[in-house]
Every structure is written in structure tokens, then in C-alpha cells.
Amino acid sequence: MRKAVSLLAQHEEKARVLAGGTDLLALMKRGRITPECVLNISKIRDLSHIGHGEDGSLRIGALTTIRAIEDFTPIRENFALLYEAAHALGSIQIRNIATIGGNICRASPSAEMAPPLLALDANAIIISQEGMRKVPLNKFFAGPGITVLRANELLTEIQVPNLLPRTGTAFLKISRTCMDLAKVNIAVVLRATTRVCDDVKIAVGAVAPVPKRARKAEELLRGKQLAEKTIEEASQVVAEEVEPITDVRSTAEYRREVSKILVKRAISIAFRRAED
Amino acid sequence: MNNKRQIRLIVNGEPYKVSVEPNKTLLELLRDYLGLTGTKHSCGLGECGACTVLVDGKPVPSCLTLSIAMDGKSIQTIEGVASKGVLHPIQKAFVDHGALQCGYCTPGLILTTKALLSENSRPTEEDISEYLKGNLCRCTGYTQIIEAVIDAAVRLEKSGGGHVTEQGGDFHSEFKDECAIVGRKMPASDSLEKVTGSTKYTSDLKLHKMLYAKVKRSPYAHAKIKSIDVSEAKSRDGVKAVITYEDLPDIRYGYNLLDEYFLARSRVRYVGEPVAVVAAESMEVAERAVDAIKVEYEELPAVFDPEESMKPDPSTIIHEDLSRYERLIPMTKLDVSRPNVLDYTKIQKGDVGKGFEEADFVIENKFITPMQQHCAMETHNAIAEVGSDGTITIWRDTQKPYVLRDWICKIFGVPPSKVRIIVPEVGGGFGGKTEPKMEPLCVALALKTKRPVRITFTREEIFSCTSNRHPCVVYIKDGVKKNGKLIAREMKLVWNAGAYCELSDYVAKAGAISAAATYNVPNFKLDNYVVYTNTPVSGAFRGFGSPQVQFAVEQQMDIIAEKLSINPVELRIMNCLDEGDENALGEKMHSVGSKKCIQKVAERLRCGEIEEKRHGSLRRGRGIALGNKYTIAAPSCAIVEVHPAIGAEDITVEVRVSTINLGQGTHTVFAQIAAEEFKMPVDKVKVVGVNTALTPYDACGTVSSRSTFTVGNAVKRACQDAKNQILKLAVSKGLAASAENLEIKSGMVYTKGVNLQSIPIKDLFAFWGLERFVEDAGVIIGKGFFNPPTASAYYPSACYTHFANGAEVEVDLETGEIKVIKLVTAIELGKAINPLLTEGQIYGGLGMGMSTTLFENIFLDHGKVINSDFTDYKVARTADVPLHNMTEAIILENAPHRDGPFGAKGIGEAVTVGVAPAIANAIYDAVGVRIREIPITPEKIFEALQQNKSH
């Protein structure tokens, strides 16, 4: 890892970091990017861990494959949205090599793992020769394909704080075929006591230049009874918070309208799970 | 680049130590360094699964995996699945269930299945679909694949994970009764090779000192070429030749209208039109040299919309010399008032004006279908080599080898004796591998460099620069009586040919006749316009014009049924053509069976039964469609050679035809026809691979669902010719007084009647030193020719295959999402020669039909394709199609065709045509919105639902 960071410091902007390769190699083959050099970090052993830290938080090494996340029982049991997002990403072949670090650092607006991690208030651990820093994922994405990572920095770990009791989560995605980038993907983390929403976090993907939180909608729901009318209002606010575009996958109008529906559905699933 | 790294890895149990460049993928390592070509390259982006291998037991896309990351790993490829020549139970299950057609996706599917079953020994169908969704298959529609995987799990459990010892199954058994071979289910004859990865496709061939060619293409949709400067490209290290139009003769090509140059001369008319081509020592060098070619253009106004283009005063004229272009057959006509219309034809019967006056209702609608890609799993490949005697050999995955040969002769001024086209196995065609767009360039470069040259098109080039399905606008106006009787139908079709004609005039006319061959309408009129635009060229695509037209006709029938409150099944039965009826082209219909087809489908769909249709926001609906697909009347011939081998106990029958095996299994069908004729086991028949130096002339090619009907007949006749010669020989040996008293069975000639006497056919061949020959004749060669009769002056159709489709869908009222629950088709085939392969064609056609209905659309931005790969252009996957037992193939054999071999007709295209209207009608039934444009997307349904709400 020290060598990787020193090489990054040497090459800076000229280098692109290769983890699983599913995105980087595909982008290079499609001629979308032509880096002068590629830094292959896939063999750094201590970056593919998954487990709990001393504080109980979930620690996922940047090189952990999506498949490993999908197969990790504590994730299935406690972080349904992470399991669901991992399961929704690409094919089994892709999930066997794609990594969480790659999925996040690629900063695709539709990145499957981004909305769940945003809704979970995850942090990114970043290192460089100058040391280590911790960046909330909510401040990590700067634009389509752009993150706050400096050219000499490497993402090493994602840390996910533990969930409080009575919290339910959900991830929903719609796409053209069963294996495609999302038209819209949505993650909800919701804590509720007898139908009152104590806290909620909603994150949306593929409907803005970056995956993002729908904070106004969260605000509207917090402390409220989860009545149908309130959820409807919140979903309306989500539709106002998104800035979708039209592309080969969908239209801006559809993405906006369907965001509303997915939010409502995700809230209702998360609520059911919070009650369980 | 000399920064190779040494890695150690285990491949199929054997240790390897190799030096590779750090940028080489595992796929390149396996194919190029280790020669393991069973692992296939298709999309290169990890989207299709064809390159799947197991790394430490896990399936990964080898195209996105770097070799250097494989140091210390254990890899399994398809070559390592069978053990000592004995098939793995998964391979055996794939063979037995007909779970493979072209076979190009098969290695990846088998390896992924192997990983699945080692993780989960009894997966549910949902588990299977989910696990295999990364493996695209364009041929099978997945039904038989799912069946095979379910069965493989059972077999594995039984065998305790071991390999299977029995091989082949019942298709090696002896000939038993009268019609034991024709009509029997048996796996395709090339299955064993395909499941073991040993099949060689053009993309697997490599010649000594082979060069790699790359095409320089136009970035403009319409421009004048002012200059081309190749000097820098030529001077690059490793570049062996660069050619432009100046290196080719001034010859335009086409099928009928000759309007296109192999390399643009002074004008480019679409984004991607070839301008120059480079041959170099490696693909990387060729690609960089192409970038170094400088072309100066003067951009011209471009037109992309066919209805805009067909106006009398379009914004640009695409072919100023259109009226002076040569036409090979006078089947097309110009509309002089419309400069961009390359062909305008009409069909007319009765008087539609009068019909509309008499009608109780007149119903008018407009329907639109988009540009779509075949997406054959194997990309297009050609290799050309010029021998020391000047003989040009081309290896190419083409559907039209003789057309290709003839063009090569014409362009390069060489006689046919100096050109041969060899067609290895083809990884899917669907009409997309018909145009000679790469071969002349390969040959020109091979002639110039004196070395073999290969061109491989990228997926992006296939989308932009080969041919796609014609976008079409259909206007339909019907006059009906209150009782449902159609009395007038007027249609206008506008076909977008793209920048050049190629097959457009044929496709348009074929689409038009499909409008006339389902229903009996006394007053019928159709105006057919084929229009140039500055978009990629359109061409043949499974269905050849029929899907576009019948999407409109069959929705229109449902619209009428609703308007008149008549059951849509009854409306169709009331109006459809039947045996002996004359269609609008003046053809007397034969071998129809439409009524039975639609009744069967309605029965299986349980139309009319009331059921719970609602569940939360989900709504179910059912829809039907009726339809037809013609087969072209073009002759074909076959040669059958009968000879014994030294020491062999029996004779061999060798069939030579120039029909390509694209995965549809025609070579198996021909072997069955020959085996039936000789009453011998099918494995004693050999169908020779296509090579124009060996297999007989056939200019039409493997198109139009004609192989079984036309070429099958030729094979049958060739067998009969050979049999007659054998019988004459037996008479000369004194077995009987005349051939009429003799018959052939199991390699013997028998006398008919009670006192059976016989002689082995091999004994009719006398020893000639070490060899066996027939006296005077040498070997026995049977020749068969079949020229289907046609009755149409408008288009040469030989027969029509009629069918009905049914679909059940579930639509989400809130999101507009569509799930296809069930697909049914009933098809009148006359005779299914091999029902296993026939079912494969049906399932595959339904899968492709569903995919093209719901997902597929090429997007253009100023004429440039913007979704030219499998990331952006989506094709249906395992989890998108209905459950395997919810896809139903009903083969009807009630109306044998008088000219078909054993009464059989073609099936390949018919099965795709009716899927779109059946789904569209089912969606209407479910949620009350009518989508008149393909693809039928959630976006369109959602919008229509919103409009319904606001009304």
C-alpha cells in the first residue's frame, strides 16, 4: 500500500487506479478515457477485508468485491439495503471482480452502492503520503465521474456506522433489462417508533449529476406520523429535489415521476422492516 | 513494448509459466498465447458473458480481467470441462435439450452453470435465471437453456458429480420404421463440438503472417471528401498498406440498385462510411495508423427523418445520380417527383374508395418501428489470402457465400475458378451477415501486401456500419362492416433505407406482401416508399419487413374488434385467408391453417376466461396476433455423393449444399432428409461445410427461411437421383428385372415383395486395386435442383408460413413496467423435420421478438449511433423472459405444403413476427393504453397512462 501511494504521488493526474477493472478497462476499451498509466492495486492484500471495527461499525476494505458484500451474512441480516444494492449490481461475473472502492471512486451517477452508503452516513477512509483522512461519503462525490479524491490519494476503506434499534432499510432499482445500469435507484434508512418517523435518510441515484441525499424530503418526514399523505408529500419533495436527464436508458420526466413511486415503496418496505 | 511480466498459473489442471504484457487481458492470454479458442470474444465489456471462465472456481469475465492478476490462480475454460473425451453432465444436458444453436455463447453458459451448481446443487428457476443473467444468448430465448440447467442439476446429483459415460443418445440408433428419421427429435449434429468449445468460428482462425486491418470511417452524416492524405499513416512502423478508393475499380455495388462504393469516392452519406483501410502487423498499429489518416471534408446538409426526406423538396438530395444508377432487375421504380425515394411500388386490388363508402366504420392509425441490431454473438470477421497461383481464399461468417464470390470476381477481375469462399461455423446471423462490406477490402489489402489479412468489426462498427433493421412508418386505414367484415384496407409504408439501398427494395416489397397474405380484403391498396436518409444502412433482419408491417396490422385488428365489440379471435377468423382464397397479389393461398393456429393460441392463453387480473398496482392482460411470413422463390441445388470407405462395412452419404449453419440446425435437417431417403441412420450422413470450391452454386444464400423448404427439396431430389443410379446398378447385377421392384434400406438394395433378396450397396462398388469404384461411373453422384414455383408478379414468394401468437403480460400501473408472463405460438409447418430444433427456433424467435418489442432501439444523434454496445443497447436476458414452462411452442402439421419436402415449410423468421403486436394487445388489455411505437417501454406506457388519467 505504501508503494501504491508513493507511485500515485509520483504520477498524480497521469495515473488511473485499477481495482477490479470492470469499469476502468471497459471505459478504456470504449475510448472514454486514455490514461497515461494505470496503477494496479488489485493485489494489495489488506484492502479486501469485511467485518466490524472496535466501535461496532462495519468496515469494508476498498478492494472487497461486490460478491463478498452480497455473501457476508451480517450484511444480509443487518444491512438489507447493502445486500440488495450489491445483488442488483451487474452479473455474477462482474460482482466476482468489481469492488466497492471501484464502484464508489468511479462516481457514476447510477453507482449501485452509492445510495445505500449515502443513506447509511458512511465515511470514506483515504490515504496519501501526507497521511490519512476521513471524508463523509455525503461530501465525496463532486460530479459525474469526479470525486474529492486528490490525485495522490487512495480510498482504502468504507466505514458504516452501526444502525440504531428499530431501523429498517431498503434499496430499490429500476432498469431496462434485468442487467443494466439504473434508470433510478433509491435507498432508504428509516427509524420509527409506532408509526412515528424518528429519523430517515433517503438517497437517490441516476437522477442527478451525483448520487445524493433528498434532504428536504427527509426533513419533512422526521418526527412525523408515517401517514400516507405525509409520505406522498415527501415523495413530491423528492421529485423536486432530483435533476434527472434524458439518455438512452430513460427520460427525465419518467425518472422524476418514478423517483416518487420508488421512494414511497422504499419507505414502506423500510418501515415494515423497522417494525420487525 | 518489452515490459513483459512472467506469471505462473494453472489452466485446466496444467501448470503454465508465461510472459505477458501487463495490458493483456485473460481472454487474450487464453486465446492468443495458449490457443484455447473455446473462450469467446463478443462484447469486450463484460456485458455478454461469452468470455466467462472460472478463476478459482468463480465465473469472471475474462475480457475485463488482466492476465497479470492471474498469477498463482487456477483457471478453468470450456476445454477443461469434459474429462478424457467424456462429457460433463452439464454438457450432456445442453446437448439433449437443444440448449445451443450457434454455440458462441455456449462455453460461457456451461462454465457459469458449473459454478452455479457447485454453489447450489438444487437451484430454483429464479436462482438459475439470476445466476445466468450475465450470459447473453441471441439464438435460444433461454427456454431450453433453463431446461438443461434444471436437468443438469438432477443428473449431477445422480452421477455424484462424475462425468457421463453414455454418449449421443438415441440419435445413433439404427433405422427402424418408415418415417423414423424425419419428424424425430434429435440434437443438432454439431452439438458435441459446440459444448466442448472445439468448434472453430472465423474469429478463431489465425493464418501465418496474418495482418490486421482497420477501416477509417466518416465522422459526418453527409459530406464531400475534399482530400485524403494517407502519407503519415503509410510511413508508420508496422503499417504494410493503406488503400483508398483509388486502389479499387470504379464499381458500385448493391443487390439490385448499384449505389454504393466499397470505399467512398467523393461523398460520404452516413456516419461510419468507409473511406480508407489500413493493414498492419497488429491491430494496435492499424488503429493508430487509421487515426493518422487525414481526410478533409466539406459538410453538407443532412436529412435523418424518412418522412422529411421523401418530400418533393427535401433539405438535401442524397444521391444526385440516382436515376442513372444501374439496376440489375427491373423490379424497382423511381418516384420522379421525390428525389430521395429510391423505390416506389403499389399493390392494388378492387377499389378502396368504393370500399370505404360502403363501410360502416372507417378506422385509421399510424404505427412506427425503430432501427434495431441483430446482435449476433460473434462479431463480423473476414480473412483473405491470395495464393501463389493467384487464387483468392476468403474465410467469412457470411450468409451469402456465392454473392460474395461473384462480387470479388467482378471487382478484382478474376474468374470464379480463382476465388473460393470458406464459411466456418457462424456465431449467429439473423440477416446481419449478408453484405460484402469487409471482404473486398481484405482482398485488396492481401493483394497489395502478399500476406493474409483479417478484418474484425468491433461491436460499434456493427451497429454503425453493417446493416440494421429498417425503421418503418405504417399508415393503415380500414373500412369495416358492422358485422366485422373487412371490406377495404389502404396502407402506406415508408421505409428508411439509410444512406444506401442494399436489400431495402426487397425488404420493403416483402413487408408489403406480408400485409396482403393474412386477411381476405376485397378492396386493397398499398403504397410502398423506400427512402434514403443520412443514417446507417438498413438491411435484412429476421422477418425481413414482416415485423414492421404486422405490428401495425395486428394492433389495428384489435382496435377494430374493440370498436365493434367483437371478440378479437372471431374477428380474425372471420377475415383471414383460407386454403384456395386469392390474396391481394393474385396468389391462391395454400397450406394456410391460420384458423387452427389462432384457436390453439386462444385456448392455451385461456382467452375469455375471467381471472383475477389485479394485484396491488399490477394488472394482467392477454393479447393475440395472427400473421404470416413468406419464403422467397429462388432456386437451389444439392449434390449427394455415395461411396464406401476402404474396410468400411457400409456406405457413406455425403451431402453438399451451400446453406450456412448459423445455429438454426439446417445441416442436421438435411442429414435427416438424406437419412430418410436412404433409410439409414443419420450419423452415416455427412453434410459438408460450405466452401464455394466444393459446395454447389446458390446465389440467394441462407435467407428467407428457405433452407428447409427449398434446399431441403434439392437434397431430397439429389438423394432420389443417387438412389436411382444405385437401383440401376442393382438391376445390372441381376437383382431384379427392373428398378421399380427394388428399394433401398440400411445400406442394402432389397427386392420388394415376399421373396426378399438383397445386395449391400457397397458391393455394387467393385475393387479397383485398393479402391472401390462403380464400373464406368466411378462414384455415385446425385444431383438435385429445386426451383419453387411462384404466382406473384409483385414479389417472388414461394410459400407462406402462417402462425398465431399470444402473450400474457403484467403491467405496473404506477411505473409502467412490463413483465411478460407467458408467450405462446402456434405455427402451421406442414411437417417439422426435427421438432427439437423446431422448438428451438420457436423459443428463440419468441425471445428475440420479445426483446425487440420491449428493449431495443438504436438512438442516433445527427446520424451517429450513440448506443452501439451492449452497455447502452439492451437485449433480453434470462431473467427478462417468461419462465421456461410459460413459453409454449405448438407445432401444427395439418396443412402440408405440396412443394415442401415431406410437406415442410420454413420457420426461422415467422416465429418472431407476431410477438410485438401480441404484447401490445396484451398491454392494452391490462391497462387500457395502446402503444403504437416499438420499443414499448415503461416510459411510453407511463405517459399514456397519465394522458388517460387527465382525460
Side-chain angles (χ1 to χ4, degrees):
Chain A
M1 186 143 56
R2 206 168 299 150
K3 192 176 161 201
V5 173
S6 112
L7 281 168
L8 263 187
Q10 235 173 42
H11 295 279
E12 299 223 319
E13 275 85 11
K14 290 179 201 156
R16 290 297 290 254
V17 174
L18 176 101
T22 54
D23 260 324
L24 187 68
L25 291 183
L27 285 171
M28 286 166 68
K29 285 182 174 192
R30 295 167 98 194
R32 304 271 168 96
I33 56 166
T34 47
E36 268 181 50
C37 68
V38 171
L39 179 65
N40 180 6
I41 61 164
S42 67
K43 294 204 145 180
I44 304 178
R45 281 220 184 89
D46 38 357
L47 287 187
S48 48
H49 57 274
I50 179 164
H52 293 281
E54 282 161 22
D55 57 354
S57 65
L58 182 67
R59 305 275 175 102
I60 310 173
L63 289 181
T64 305
T65 64
I66 304 299
R67 192 76 201 291
I69 293 170
E70 192 187 354
D71 284 348
F72 189 57
T73 314
I75 283 186
R76 280 197 197 212
E77 286 169 357
N78 305 320
F79 295 94
L81 80 174
L82 273 181
Y83 165 75
E84 285 163 346
H87 190 66
L89 191 156
S91 62
I92 205 86
Q93 290 93 327
I94 295 292
R95 300 206 289 277
N96 275 331
I97 56 173
T99 65
I100 187 157
N103 190 248
I104 296 303
C105 292
R106 158 82 174 88
S108 160
S110 65
E112 232 71 85
M113 302 311 290
L117 294 173
L118 287 172
L120 289 166
D121 278 330
N123 289 300
I125 308 298
I126 296 165
I127 61 157
S128 68
Q129 279 188 318
E130 287 132 44
M132 190 185 94
R133 64 179 181 129
K134 186 169 176 175
V135 177
L137 214 60
N138 285 304
K139 297 208 164 80
F140 188 80
F141 301 111
I146 308 166
T147 68
V148 299
L149 275 181
R150 298 182 196 117
N152 63 346
E153 287 183 323
L154 197 66
L155 172 78
T156 58
E157 190 177 77
I158 301 285
Q159 295 184 352
V160 182
N162 236 340
L163 292 175
L164 294 171
R166 296 190 314 280
T167 301
T169 71
F171 172 86
L172 291 175
K173 166 189 178 181
I174 58 166
S175 55
R176 290 175 298 177
T177 63
C178 63
M179 190 184 132
D180 190 16
L181 302 177
K183 289 178 181 177
V184 183
N185 52 15
I186 268 175
V188 168
V189 174
L190 178 121
R191 188 156 55 84
T193 327
T194 57
R195 281 211 85 83
V196 174
C197 169
D198 294 332
D199 195 10
V200 66
K201 283 144 194 171
I202 301 168
V204 289
V207 285
V210 293
K212 65 177 218 175
R213 290 272 290 272
R215 295 195 184 270
K216 287 180 190 155
E218 292 175 6
E219 206 54 47
L220 190 145
L221 286 167
R222 229 166 258 141
K224 298 264 174 62
Q225 279 272 336
L226 285 171
E228 204 175 309
K229 188 163 160 274
T230 316
I231 297 173
E232 180 69 42
E233 276 171 27
S235 74
Q236 197 59 50
V237 172
V238 170
E240 286 158 23
E241 286 185 83
V242 299
E243 320 146 57
I245 56 160
T246 295
D247 61 13
V248 296
R249 275 174 272 284
S250 191
T251 62
E253 302 77 52
Y254 182 78
R255 285 182 156 122
R256 186 184 300 280
E257 292 300 317
V258 163
S259 300
K260 280 199 272 189
I261 291 148
L262 290 193
V263 160
K264 283 192 274 184
R265 290 180 180 179
I267 288 174
S268 115
I269 297 167
F271 176 68
R272 210 169 54 230
R273 289 175 178 167
E275 281 191 318
D276 282 347
Chain B
M1 218 194 278
N2 202 10
N3 53 350
K4 284 189 176 180
R5 310 276 174 82
Q6 198 171 74
I7 57 165
R8 288 163 187 274
L9 72 170
I10 293 171
V11 180
N12 298 327
E14 280 183 43
Y16 285 87
K17 197 162 76 177
V18 268
S19 291
V20 286
E21 289 95 352
N23 63 346
K24 289 286 172 234
T25 61
L26 175 57
L27 178 64
E28 289 166 307
L29 172 74
L30 293 169
R31 289 178 60 86
D32 302 339
Y33 289 60
L34 306 183
L36 295 170
T37 55
T39 307
K40 298 300 177 201
H41 167 84
S42 180
C43 76
L45 299 172
E47 288 281 348
C48 76
C51 69
T52 301
V53 298
L54 304 185
V55 175
D56 294 337
K58 288 182 182 167
V60 305
S62 61
C63 72
L64 290 183
T65 305
L66 289 179
S67 301
I68 48 168
M70 291 298 104
D71 192 23
K73 305 271 186 193
S74 174
I75 319 286
Q76 188 174 37
T77 71
I78 190 67
E79 289 88 350
V81 176
S83 165
K84 294 184 190 114
V86 179
L87 294 187
H88 187 278
I90 297 170
Q91 291 172 312
K92 189 70 176 57
F94 269 66
V95 172
D96 291 347
H97 287 272
L100 53 125
Q101 289 181 26
C102 84
Y104 204 78
C105 68
T106 310
L109 268 159
I110 287 174
L111 287 163
T112 311
T113 303
K114 194 158 183 276
L116 164 69
L117 297 182
S118 68
E119 283 177 32
N120 179 355
S121 62
R122 286 310 281 270
T124 63
E125 177 158 358
E126 202 186 317
D127 296 334
I128 298 170
S129 296
E130 171 57 33
Y131 206 97
L132 297 184
K133 75 178 183 188
N135 292 79
L136 268 188
C137 170
R138 192 56 156 168
C139 297
T140 64
Y142 308 105
T143 308
Q144 288 157 314
I145 290 173
I146 302 289
E147 277 175 19
V149 177
I150 293 171
D151 187 26
V154 177
R155 290 180 193 216
L156 261 174
E157 220 169 47
K158 276 190 195 153
S159 72
H163 286 67
V164 198
T165 42
E166 33 99 36
Q167 278 213 8
D170 67 343
F171 71 101
H172 282 272
S173 64
E174 285 301 300
F175 188 89
K176 288 191 189 89
D177 51 51
E178 268 310 289
C179 203
I181 303 269
V182 159
R184 199 205 291 180
K185 282 190 176 188
M186 56 181 77
S189 51
D190 50 3
S191 300
L192 296 183
E193 283 189 297
K194 285 178 175 171
V195 295
T196 51
S198 50
T199 302
K200 294 284 179 218
Y201 299 84
T202 311
S203 50
D204 298 325
L205 305 181
K206 233 181 184 179
L207 269 57
H208 182 59
K209 298 198 86 178
M210 187 169 83
L211 297 172
Y212 297 82
K214 185 79 188 165
V215 179
K216 174 79 175 178
R217 299 184 177 281
S218 162
Y220 294 108
H222 199 189
K224 276 185 185 156
I225 297 175
K226 295 180 75 181
S227 67
I228 306 174
D229 177 3
V230 299
S231 53
E232 199 196 321
K234 262 185 178 162
S235 68
R236 293 276 175 99
D237 268 358
V239 172
K240 294 296 163 191
V242 183
I243 59 166
T244 65
Y245 70 89
E246 288 177 334
D247 301 281
L248 294 174
D250 188 355
I251 293 175
R252 288 193 189 91
Y253 84 102
Y255 286 98
N256 175 27
L257 175 62
L258 308 188
D259 61 355
E260 187 171 10
Y261 286 116
F262 294 101
L263 287 174
R265 292 187 93 80
S266 55
R267 188 90 87 93
V268 287
R269 296 179 172 91
Y270 68 95
V271 176
E273 182 159 355
V275 175
V277 57
V278 175
E281 295 286 356
S282 75
M283 198 42 139
E284 289 80 2
V285 173
E287 279 167 3
R288 282 198 293 271
V290 158
D291 292 339
I293 298 172
K294 293 180 200 79
V295 186
E296 207 186 329
Y297 296 97
E298 181 192 321
E299 207 178 343
L300 297 168
V303 59
F304 307 112
D305 180 72
E307 293 195 276
E308 189 61 41
S309 186
M310 74 183 275
K311 287 178 178 167
D313 55 342
S315 55
T316 191
I317 295 174
I318 297 172
H319 290 265
E320 275 143 0
D321 292 334
L322 176 59
S323 62
R324 287 183 288 279
Y325 287 160
E326 187 186 347
R327 284 167 195 254
L328 299 178
I329 316 161
M331 70 175 259
T332 56
K333 290 183 190 74
L334 287 175
D335 179 340
V336 286
S337 67
R338 300 170 190 268
N340 284 334
V341 169
L342 67 99
D343 183 26
Y344 167 58
T345 57
K346 274 189 283 201
I347 298 175
Q348 208 156 359
K349 180 191 178 186
D351 178 352
V352 281
K354 198 166 137 269
F356 289 130
E357 273 169 33
E358 289 167 10
D360 295 320
F361 296 98
V362 174
I363 295 165
E364 264 183 276
N365 278 293
K366 176 186 178 184
F367 297 88
I368 298 171
T369 63
M371 187 178 289
Q372 298 177 320
Q373 227 299 309
H374 314 77
C375 300
M377 293 302 290
E378 185 188 19
T379 55
H380 300 220
N381 288 277
I383 302 171
E385 183 184 47
V386 183
S388 44
D389 68 341
T391 296
I392 297 167
T393 305
I394 298 172
W395 290 263
R396 160 76 163 122
D397 48 344
T398 177
Q399 293 178 241
K400 285 177 176 275
Y402 271 99
V403 170
L404 172 58
R405 185 199 69 171
D406 293 351
W407 274 108
I408 296 295
C409 293
K410 184 167 176 185
I411 301 157
F412 297 100
V414 287
S417 60
K418 291 282 186 202
V419 180
R420 72 177 161 167
I421 314 297
I422 299 174
V423 188
E425 279 295 322
V426 178
F430 314 111
K433 293 178 176 171
T434 50
E435 284 82 19
K437 296 202 174 188
M438 51 194 347
E439 308 84 344
L441 308 180
C442 258
V443 171
L445 289 167
L447 284 166
K448 201 157 184 173
T449 60
K450 310 272 186 279
R451 291 186 43 190
V453 177
R454 131 174 258 147
I455 295 187
T456 298
F457 280 173
T458 61
R459 194 59 69 180
E460 192 180 1
E461 285 177 299
I462 293 172
F463 273 87
S464 311
C465 323
T466 60
S467 69
N468 297 309
R469 176 173 276 168
H470 285 80
C472 186
V473 182
V474 178
Y475 293 90
I476 181 165
K477 179 179 173 187
D478 285 343
V480 279
K481 301 295 274 182
K482 274 184 205 149
N483 64 3
K485 193 71 199 140
L486 273 170
I487 54 166
R489 173 166 279 174
E490 184 174 3
M491 295 179 77
K492 183 172 97 173
L493 315 180
V494 181
W495 303 87
N496 181 357
Y500 295 96
C501 176
E502 295 187 8
L503 281 163
S504 293
D505 43 357
Y506 283 90
V507 170
K509 291 186 113 184
I513 69 167
S514 87
T518 302
Y519 297 109
N520 199 348
V521 192
N523 304 293
F524 184 91
K525 181 169 178 275
L526 186 146
D527 292 287
N528 209 10
Y529 294 92
V530 192
V531 187
Y532 284 128
T533 63
N534 295 108
T535 64
V537 182
S538 303
F541 188 147
R542 197 174 189 178
F544 209 70
S546 294
Q548 291 94 323
V549 171
Q550 294 182 51
F551 175 67
V553 169
E554 290 304 307
Q555 285 209 71
Q556 176 82 348
M557 293 305 282
D558 261 36
I559 293 169
I560 294 169
E562 192 191 24
K563 178 105 184 164
L564 304 182
S565 301
I566 294 178
N567 180 316
V569 176
E570 280 166 29
L571 180 79
R572 286 176 171 87
I573 289 179
M574 186 190 310
N575 286 292
C576 73
L577 286 158
D578 213 337
E579 185 74 27
D581 289 344
E582 198 171 274
N583 68 20
L585 303 154
E587 298 167 311
K588 271 213 163 38
M589 300 306 289
H590 168 61
S591 177
V592 185
S594 292
K595 289 178 183 169
K596 192 85 189 161
C597 287
I598 198 151
Q599 280 161 346
K600 275 278 173 203
V601 165
E603 194 183 299
R604 299 304 303 164
L605 260 195
R606 294 169 289 118
C607 283
E609 274 179 42
I610 297 158
E611 239 182 87
E612 190 48 68
K613 288 172 68 176
R614 292 150 181 267
H615 180 71
S617 62
L618 303 177
R619 299 288 179 273
R620 287 216 178 181
R622 303 189 194 106
I624 51 159
L626 192 61
N628 74 84
K629 171 67 185 70
Y630 85 105
T631 282
I632 195 166
S636 187
C637 55
I639 293 168
V640 164
E641 181 177 328
V642 181
H643 61 78
I646 296 172
E649 282 306 294
D650 210 346
I651 52 159
T652 293
V653 173
E654 202 169 83
V655 176
R656 293 191 211 138
V657 289
S658 289
T659 296
I660 312 300
N661 206 29
L662 305 158
Q664 80 285 48
T666 39
H667 285 196
T668 311
V669 164
F670 298 150
Q672 284 180 263
I673 290 174
E676 186 68 45
E677 282 297 318
F678 281 90
K679 306 219 180 299
M680 66 192 283
V682 73
D683 58 336
K684 289 187 174 150
V685 180
K686 168 77 189 157
V687 181
V688 176
V690 176
N691 175 340
T692 58
L694 302 171
T695 53
Y697 190 69
D698 183 332
C700 192
T702 307
V703 298
S704 198
S705 308
R706 70 189 276 267
S707 299
T708 298
F709 184 80
T710 305
V711 188
N713 252 325
V715 170
K716 196 165 183 271
R717 290 179 179 189
C719 289
Q720 285 161 355
D721 184 24
K723 276 162 60 184
N724 287 340
Q725 295 173 40
I726 291 169
L727 295 182
K728 267 187 202 155
L729 271 171
V731 169
S732 74
K733 298 270 177 191
L735 188 65
S738 94
E740 281 147 38
N741 301 324
L742 297 174
E743 60 184 353
I744 287 172
K745 194 173 175 177
S746 301
M748 310 280 283
V749 184
Y750 289 98
T751 55
K752 291 178 183 169
V754 276
N755 285 328
L756 288 183
Q757 281 183 300
S758 65
I759 182 169
I761 296 175
K762 71 178 172 64
D763 290 352
L764 298 173
F765 293 75
F767 273 108
W768 222 275
L770 276 174
E771 301 159 299
R772 275 170 177 272
F773 280 117
V774 171
E775 221 159 327
D776 300 333
V779 289
I780 290 175
I781 305 275
K783 193 183 86 180
F785 176 68
F786 180 63
N787 187 12
T790 181
S792 166
Y794 183 77
Y795 194 85
S797 54
C799 65
Y800 292 89
T801 302
H802 296 266
F803 51 85
N805 283 80
E808 183 170 347
V809 301
E810 192 170 77
V811 182
D812 189 323
L813 266 183
E814 290 180 346
T815 64
E817 285 175 289
I818 311 138
K819 175 87 193 151
V820 178
I821 303 295
K822 186 171 190 172
L823 288 173
V824 191
T825 191
I827 184 156
E828 175 53 61
L829 270 186
K831 179 82 192 169
I833 307 258
N834 182 335
L836 181 70
L837 303 185
T838 306
E839 282 167 12
Q841 286 299 296
I842 295 179
Y843 296 138
L846 292 177
M848 183 184 265
M850 186 199 125
S851 186
T852 49
T853 303
L854 299 180
F855 306 128
E856 302 183 30
N857 184 10
I858 291 177
F859 289 95
L860 299 175
D861 180 17
H862 292 86
K864 181 177 165 47
V865 178
I866 57 168
N867 56 335
S868 58
D869 57 43
F870 291 160
T871 306
D872 289 338
Y873 184 96
K874 281 294 160 189
V875 169
R877 293 162 182 274
T878 44
D880 296 311
V881 299
L883 296 175
H884 80 281
N885 56 7
M886 295 295 262
T887 308
E888 206 174 333
I890 303 162
I891 300 167
L892 299 176
E893 299 178 327
N894 300 321
H897 197 284
R898 60 180 166 243
D899 299 322
F902 307 96
K905 297 190 289 186
I907 184 170
E909 297 170 282
V911 286
T912 63
V913 176
V915 183
I919 290 177
N921 289 338
I923 289 169
Y924 185 82
D925 184 45
V927 291
V929 297
R930 188 151 291 286
I931 308 301
R932 293 175 172 79
E933 183 175 0
I934 289 178
I936 302 178
T937 59
E939 285 76 3
K940 287 176 192 161
I941 293 178
F942 185 89
E943 196 190 334
L945 284 166
Q946 297 301 102
Q947 278 169 5
N948 266 13
K949 265 189 214 162
S950 61
H951 283 159

